[in-house]
Amino acid sequence: MSIKTTKPFSYESFPASGLVAYFSMEIAINPGMPTYSGGLGVLAGDTLRSAADLGVPLVAFSLLHRKGYFRQHLDQVGNQTEEVQAWNPADFCTEEAARITVAIEDRTVTVRTWRYDLVGRSGHIVPIYLLDTDLDGNSGWDRGLTDHLYGGDTNYRLQQEIVLGMGGVRMSNALGLHVNVYHMNEGHAALLTLALLESQLGGGPLGAATDADLQVVRNKCVFTTHTPVPAGHDRFSTEQAYRILGSERTARLQKFGAFHEGLLNMTMLALRFCRYANGVALQHGKVSRNMFPEFPIDAITNGVHAPTWVSEPVQQMLDTRIPAWRRDNLYLRNAIDIPIDQMTAAHARAKEALFAEVGARTGRVLNPRVLTLGFARRVATYKRATLLFNDPERLVRIAQQAGGLQILYAGKAHPQDEPGKNFIRQVVEKTHSLSSDLLQVVYLENYAWDLGAALTAGVDVWVNTPRRPYEASGTSGMKAALNGVPSLSILDGWWIEGCIEGVTGWAIEDGATGTGIEDAAVDKEEAQNLYRKLENAVVPLYLQAPEKWGQMMRTTLAFNGSYFNTNRMVKQYTRNAYYPVKLTEQVRVEEEAYAD
C-alpha cells in the first residue's frame, strides 16, 4: 500500500533512539515499478512491508532505476532478448527538494531523491528514497547512472555504488533524518561506511581517522550477506578504485583491509565496518563463516510478506477462520485446524486462476485435475533448471504413472549471463520435444511479481534443485508454503529448516558420487533421487490419497507459513541487529527477576 503526498515527511512519532536506514540496490516496491530483478529485491520489499506493518522506525534508500531491469522476450527456441522498462517516477513518488553531490572520478555529480511512502496495516509509514542523477548540470553519462539495475560494466556498477552508499548517507543528512543504524542489504551499499567515516571526521583527511573514529562507524552499521556465489560479492580492480573513488579513499580502504586478493571487495568492506553481520539461513550462516572465518557472522533466516503472497482465495479462507493472521503471522499455526475441504477448495481456485493466466499468455489449455509442478526463479547455472530433464524417458514414465503431468517454468537470465540463457534454451527445447497429451512443459516469459504470485499459489508442488551449498536461502518455496503448496527440494538454504518429510513436502537426497561440486555425476544421482521421490511419494499421494494430500497442504501452511515470514524475520533483526543493547538489558532484568 502507498500514499502519494507532496508535503515533507514527519518523524515526530518516532522514538528518540533514531531511525534504521535500510540500504539495498534493488527493492520490489510496487508491481508497477521495475525497481527489482529477483529474490534480493523482493526480500527487501517484503522486509519494508513488514517493518511498516510492525511500526519499526525505518527508512530505506535505493536507486531509482529509471529504465528498470528488463522485460524478457523469448522466441520459439528460447533465445532471450531484453526490452527497457522505462517508467515515470512522478506516477508513484514525490520528488524531494534536497540535492546533494558525490565525487566520481574527477566529476561532481548532483543527486536528488524521490520518496515513496509505504504504508503498513495500521497506517505506519516507511518512506523509501530512490536516488536519481538525471538532472540538468550532470553529464549525459552521469545522468544515466541511476537508469539501469545491474546494467553496464563494473565501472558503471562501482559508480552506482558510490551514488547508493555515499549519496544515500549524504541525502539522509540533507533530509534531516536522525539515523542511528545503517543496514547494508548486501555489499552494494558498503561505501556508506566511507561516507559515515568522512562525516565523523568533519571533512578532515581520512588518514587522521583513529581507532575510536572507526569504532563509531562500526557501532552504527549492520550487514546482511546473501550469497555464497562468488559473483554475488562485488569486486573491483585497484585501477578502478583509484580512478573512480580517488587516491586518498582507495589508499585508506587498502589500509582498512577492504582489499582481498588484490581487489576492492565490498563484502570485506562491509564486514570490516559493521558491529553485526548475518547470513540469511542457518546453513548459509555456516557457509559464510567458512568463507570469512575472521568475522563473527550470525544467521537470521529469510521470510516473505504473508499478505503480499497469499492468494486471494486463501486470504478469504484465513480471514474467516483465523482473522488475527494479518496482525501476527504466528497465528497461521492455527491453520492446522482448517477443514481440509476448505483448504483444497481455496487451492483449486488459485490453480484455476493460474491456468487462466497461462492460457492468456500462451494459448495452452491445462488440466486442473493433473499434478502440476512449478519451477520459477532467476536463471543461474547453480539453480540447475534442467535437472528435471536429466533422464527424459524416466520423466515420461512418471507422467504416465501420474495419468498426466504438467510442469510450469519461468525465470530471467541476466543479460550478460550466457550460460544462464543457454539453460533457458534447453528448457524451451524440452517444451517442444517432450510435450504430449500426458506431459506438458510450459516456459512462461517475463517472470515478475504478478506471475510469481500466481505460480507459487497455483501449482501443486514447488520444485527447487540448487547445487549445494550455493542456495543461501531461497524464498519462492516460502511463498508456496503460505498457500499450502508443499516443496520438493534439495536440502539447501531455508529448506533444511523447513522440510518435515511427508508433512511440509519432500527432500531430494544429496548425491554421494563424484569428486567435485560441479561433477555431472552428482547431478545425475540427484536427478535419480528426484525421480524416485516423484514415483514413490508425490505421485501416489496425489492420485490415491486426496484426503492426505489436503492434510499435507494444511500442515505446510501451518508449520512453514507461520515461521518463514518477514513478520518474524523483522522482529529478529530488530532484537538482534538493530537494538541489541536493549535486548541485552531486557535479558539481564529477566535473569535478575528469575534469581529473586
Side-chain angles (χ1 to χ4, degrees), residues 196-487:
L196 290 174
L197 182 58
E198 291 178 352
S199 178
Q200 171 68 16
L201 295 174
L206 287 170
T210 65
D211 288 343
D213 292 322
L214 302 181
Q215 194 58 47
V216 167
V217 174
R218 290 190 188 99
N219 288 342
K220 295 179 179 180
C221 295
V222 301
F223 170 58
T224 300
T225 178
H226 283 268
T227 175
V229 179
H233 301 273
D234 281 350
R235 295 170 292 182
F236 304 97
S237 70
T238 303
E239 184 277 329
Q240 286 176 308
Y242 271 95
R243 173 168 47 83
I244 296 172
L245 279 167
S247 58
E248 182 188 10
R249 286 171 175 162
T250 301
R252 287 299 100 188
L253 290 174
Q254 288 176 312
K255 183 177 180 180
F256 296 151
F259 277 69
H260 180 67
E261 297 178 345
L263 299 172
L264 173 58
N265 186 305
M266 291 306 194
T267 299
M268 293 294 292
L269 174 59
L271 288 169
R272 297 280 183 204
F273 278 92
C274 69
R275 60 170 167 78
Y276 176 89
N278 70 282
V280 290
L282 293 179
Q283 173 68 13
H284 181 236
K286 297 177 184 178
V287 172
S288 297
R289 287 189 292 274
N290 288 333
M291 292 178 70
F292 305 101
E294 61 186 296
F295 299 101
I297 300 177
D298 200 0
I300 296 177
T301 301
N302 281 344
V304 297
H305 185 248
T308 296
W309 298 105
V310 174
S311 70
E312 186 61 32
V314 176
Q315 287 195 37
Q316 292 174 4
M317 177 188 70
L318 293 174
D319 287 341
T320 300
R321 305 289 308 191
I322 316 170
W325 77 275
R326 293 180 184 272
R327 174 176 55 83
D328 184 350
N329 294 166
L330 190 56
Y331 278 99
L332 290 171
R333 197 77 167 180
N334 294 343
I336 198 71
D337 198 38
I338 291 175
I340 289 176
D341 61 342
Q342 293 186 22
M343 184 78 247
T344 55
H347 176 67
R349 290 171 56 199
K351 192 173 184 180
E352 179 182 354
L354 169 62
F355 286 6
E357 180 67 21
V358 172
R361 287 173 176 248
T362 68
R364 301 281 287 272
V365 177
L366 301 179
N367 187 342
R369 294 184 298 277
V370 169
L371 176 64
T372 303
L373 311 181
F375 185 106
R377 50 194 40 85
R378 178 175 59 87
V379 182
T381 53
Y382 79 88
K383 294 179 183 286
R384 298 191 296 184
T386 58
L387 196 70
L388 261 171
F389 306 119
N390 190 276
D391 186 345
E393 293 180 357
R394 188 167 180 181
L395 184 62
V396 169
R397 291 198 298 273
I398 292 171
Q400 293 169 342
Q401 173 195 355
L405 182 64
Q406 297 166 156
I407 307 174
L408 301 182
Y409 273 91
K412 296 178 177 178
H414 186 278
Q416 298 174 11
D417 183 3
E418 289 304 323
K421 289 183 176 182
N422 188 50
F423 265 62
I424 295 177
R425 285 189 288 269
Q426 291 178 48
V427 174
V428 171
E429 190 277 327
K430 297 302 181 185
T431 70
H432 300 308
S433 64
L434 291 181
S435 288
S436 66
D437 291 340
L438 281 175
L439 176 60
Q440 291 211 54
V441 184
V442 182
Y443 201 107
L444 300 163
E445 73 176 11
N446 201 42
Y447 181 47
W449 184 329
D450 55 347
L451 180 57
L455 283 165
T456 52
V459 300
D460 297 309
V461 178
W462 196 253
V463 179
N464 191 24
T465 54
R467 178 176 287 116
R468 299 182 75 241
Y470 288 150
E471 183 85 310
S473 172
T475 53
S476 58
M478 300 176 186
K479 297 164 192 167
L482 277 165
N483 291 281
V485 174
S487 285

Side-chain angles (χ1 to χ4, degrees), residues 123-239:
H124 178 78
I125 296 174
V126 168
I128 304 172
Y129 294 99
L130 303 175
L131 303 172
D132 179 20
T133 59
D134 187 15
L135 286 166
D136 292 339
N138 288 338
S139 69
W141 171 265
D142 291 334
R143 294 185 70 154
L145 286 178
T146 52
D147 276 356
H148 297 281
L149 173 59
Y150 305 138
D153 58 13
T154 55
N155 291 305
Y156 187 81
R157 174 72 65 87
L158 181 54
Q159 293 177 53
Q160 282 191 321
E161 295 187 5
I162 291 173
V163 176
L164 175 61
M166 305 192 76
V169 169
R170 292 175 184 175
M171 184 60 74
S172 71
N173 293 333
L175 293 168
L177 307 181
H178 301 291
V179 178
N180 279 3
V181 179
Y182 295 82
H183 185 171
M184 296 170 279
N185 188 45
E186 259 304 353
H188 307 121
L191 288 171
L192 71 81
T193 61
L194 200 57
L196 290 174
L197 182 58
E198 291 178 352
S199 178
Q200 171 68 16
L201 295 174
L206 287 170
T210 65
D211 288 343
D213 292 322
L214 302 181
Q215 194 58 47
V216 167
V217 174
R218 290 190 188 99
N219 288 342
K220 295 179 179 180
C221 295
V222 301
F223 170 58
T224 300
T225 178
H226 283 268
T227 175
V229 179
H233 301 273
D234 281 350
R235 295 170 292 182
F236 304 97
S237 70
T238 303
E239 184 277 329

Side-chain angles (χ1 to χ4, degrees), residues 15-32:
S17 58
L19 298 166
V20 175
Y22 183 91
F23 283 67
S24 183
M25 181 63 83
E26 55 172 303
I27 305 176
I29 302 169
N30 181 297

